[in-house]
Amino acid sequence: MHLLLNCKTTFDTREATIIQTRHRITEEQLTDKQIMVLQVPMPEPLRMVESYEYKTRLMHAEADYAKMWLTLYEQYVKWGGVMVGRTIPVMVHNRYIMAPSPIPRWDIPNLNDADCLYLFGAGREKKVICSSSSYYC
């Protein structure tokens, strides 16, 4: 038991209510009573196409992701595939774009229609991005 927070620590995924990781999504199916927290090195996926924060916020507000789609298309045409590595963008609720980095590309489909809440955070930038089929953030 952690003395400061008065909470129990466990290494059994089925018993945990909050799971923190930096790399992989668990192979066990998580429930709607569990939260997985991932530390994201780059919380803003539009940073690779727009360097100004105020412009990326405006792009999100207007759902203007044309620069991102154009960049991905150009990479596909030039190199035969998307070349952004771990920061490959995904669409959440058919409206918001995010980068689930550092999750490997093959784990991304596991995010779709998940029962649990996924939180992606970058503490240094004080941002939290969430992804779940039952939560709108």
Side-chain angles (χ1 to χ4, degrees), residues 22-23 32 39 42 93 126:
R22 290 185 181 184
H23 305 288
D32 61 348
Q39 293 181 345
M42 189 179 96
H93 298 296
K126 299 180 182 96

Side-chain angles (χ1 to χ4, degrees), residues 40-104:
V40 181
M42 189 179 96
E44 177 53 76
L46 296 175
R47 186 66 64 227
M48 66 188 225
V49 296
E50 180 56 63
S51 58
Y52 294 104
E53 178 75 19
Y54 77 93
K55 287 186 180 180
T56 60
R57 289 181 185 204
L58 184 62
M59 291 167 75
H60 282 298
E62 296 175 348
D64 178 12
Y65 301 124
K67 280 186 177 182
M68 177 62 75
W69 304 142
L70 181 60
T71 299
L72 296 174
Y73 176 75
E74 287 173 344
Q75 290 176 1
Y76 188 79
V77 168
K78 188 172 184 178
W79 291 295
V82 176
M83 307 304 287
V84 292
R86 64 174 167 57
T87 59
I88 190 164
V90 297
M91 185 70 77
V92 178
H93 298 296
N94 295 317
R95 169 63 177 83
Y96 301 99
I97 193 171
M98 65 171 281
S101 166
I103 298 172

